[in-house]
């Protein structure tokens, strides 16, 4: 599959709910964290493949505001993996020309992880081959509430006029400000839910639900989903052309 062209359009922004790590591991008699470890390896492959296929923005749902409810050992294991990923992949992401940004509320994350996140954002700020948006402690409702709170504060302080606030103005208060909405949202592992992922931004996205658990989701699967996307007729509420 070629990078974006008129006859073979590739979705510019692909967002992925990387689900099924736990089940992948459990089915193999392994601890859940083994599935997350394999999941990190898939992140590496899919970031590379997406860039090569011409995707300009890839958003990955790594940890939700609800994931804190998991057993403490699993949460601690995930934090260890994030820390390792941020340390180990940094040079590779710079080399690949990826610009990394994080969405979600970082304040509940361990301080050293927050530092690594800022460092990676700074180091990759000038890159433009692909933007990798990592949702870490992200929840769509949480994002909307934080935006509403900031809007209320700005209105009270006289910085904005509520009467003139429109959809574009509202979107500028979201974590994703400045990023186009996802064209395609993929969820792995055969579950048909969106789980609080980008509720505002995905209002007109196409959705693809694939049966593979995330550790089994390869670049070939991604390519297949992108080909199927190409056949869809996106109307954004209008009529067919
Ligand atoms: C869902 O599987 C996966 C997660 C909650 C964590 C996703 C994290 C990674 C793939 C690793 C790191 C990512 C980055 C960007 C470094 P699940 O545990 O909900 O699986 P289950 O539904 O089978 O239990």
């Amino acid at each position: 599959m070629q990078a974006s062209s008129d006859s073979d359009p590739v979705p510019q922004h692909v967002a992925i709910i990387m689900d099924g790590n736990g089940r992948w591991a459990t089915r193999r008699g392994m601890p859940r964290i083994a599935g997350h470890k394999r999941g990190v390896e898939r992140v590496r492959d899919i970031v590379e493949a997406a860039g090569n296929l011409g995707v300009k923005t890839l958003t990955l749902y790594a940890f939700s505001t609800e994931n804190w409810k998991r057993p403490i050992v699993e949460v601690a294991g995930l934090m260890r993996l994030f820390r390792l990923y941020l340390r180990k992949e940094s040079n590779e992401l710079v080399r690949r020309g990826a610009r990394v940004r994080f969405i979600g509320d970082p304040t509940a994350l361990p301080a050293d992880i927050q530092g690594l996140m800022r460092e990676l954002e700074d180091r990759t700020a000038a890159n433009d081959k692909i933007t990798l948006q990592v949702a870490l402690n992200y929840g769509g409702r949480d994002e909307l509430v934080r935006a509403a709170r900031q809007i209320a504060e700005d209105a009270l302080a006289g910085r904005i006029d509520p009467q003139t606030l429109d959809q574009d103005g509202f979107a500028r208060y979201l974590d994703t400000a400045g990023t186009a909405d996802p064209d395609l949202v993929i969820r792995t592992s055969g579950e048909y839910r969106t789980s609080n992922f980008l509720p505002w931004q995905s209002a007109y996205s196409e959705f693809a639900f694939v049966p593979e658990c995330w550790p089994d989701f390869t670049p070939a699967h991604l390519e297949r989903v992108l080909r199927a996307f190409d056949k869809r007729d996106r109307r954004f509420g209008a009529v067919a052309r």
Side-chain angles (χ1 to χ4, degrees):
M1 191 172 187
Q2 296 295 307
S4 195
S5 76
D6 283 351
S7 58
D8 190 16
V10 166
Q12 293 295 287
H13 183 175
V14 175
I16 309 185
I17 303 173
M18 308 179 287
D19 193 19
N21 293 348
R23 270 164 291 160
W24 182 92
T26 307
R27 281 177 200 149
R28 286 164 178 76
M30 295 154 88
R32 290 175 57 83
I33 198 67
H36 296 311
K37 263 191 205 149
R38 191 59 75 91
V40 177
E41 289 169 24
R42 287 292 86 83
V43 167
R44 197 173 295 134
D45 301 341
I46 294 298
V47 171
E48 182 183 354
N52 292 339
L53 289 165
V55 171
K56 294 309 288 178
T57 305
L58 178 68
T59 301
L60 299 177
Y61 204 4
F63 192 84
S64 78
T65 46
E66 286 69 42
N67 285 154
W68 297 106
K69 294 180 203 149
R70 294 184 174 213
I72 190 159
V73 281
E74 183 170 347
V75 172
L78 279 167
M79 292 300 146
R80 249 194 320 274
L81 283 179
F82 295 145
R83 194 174 279 120
L84 218 65
Y85 178 85
L86 292 167
R87 286 207 190 108
K88 271 182 52 184
E89 296 298 311
S90 174
N91 289 339
E92 182 65 13
L93 290 163
V94 172
R95 207 174 60 76
R96 289 206 180 286
R99 172 176 163 241
V100 182
R101 59 182 286 183
F102 293 91
I103 58 171
D105 178 4
T107 59
L109 296 166
D112 68 314
I113 292 187
Q114 292 183 44
L116 290 167
M117 289 160 65
R118 276 194 299 270
E119 203 179 298
L120 188 54
E121 282 185 332
D122 291 347
R123 274 193 80 197
T124 60
N127 291 347
D128 61 3
K129 181 169 181 206
I130 184 169
T131 296
L132 173 62
Q133 216 168 214
V134 183
L136 209 46
N137 194 29
Y138 175 86
R141 288 183 174 182
D142 178 69
E143 178 189 37
L144 290 166
V145 169
R146 284 187 285 108
R149 202 179 289 143
Q150 190 58 52
I151 288 167
E153 279 173 16
D154 284 354
L156 278 173
R159 287 189 287 268
I160 59 161
D161 172 4
Q163 293 307 319
T164 62
L165 184 71
D166 58 10
Q167 293 186 18
D168 287 342
F170 188 90
R172 279 195 285 276
Y173 282 86
L174 298 174
D175 298 343
T176 50
T179 306
D181 289 341
D183 301 294
L184 174 66
V185 179
I186 302 171
R187 182 177 190 134
T188 60
S189 92
E191 301 288 345
Y192 296 83
R193 291 189 295 279
T194 59
S195 300
N196 207 10
F197 187 45
L198 305 174
W200 169 282
Q201 299 86 341
S202 66
Y204 284 100
S205 302
E206 296 288 324
F207 282 80
F209 297 95
V210 299
E212 294 79 21
C213 286
W214 176 250
D216 289 330
F217 190 75
T218 64
H221 291 111
L222 176 68
E223 192 172 333
R224 197 176 310 151
V225 177
L226 297 198
R227 277 190 198 284
F229 168 87
D230 184 18
K231 311 246 175 326
R232 297 189 188 182
D233 178 20
R234 301 182 75 204
R235 293 197 291 275
F236 299 96
V239 291
R241 282 162 285 155

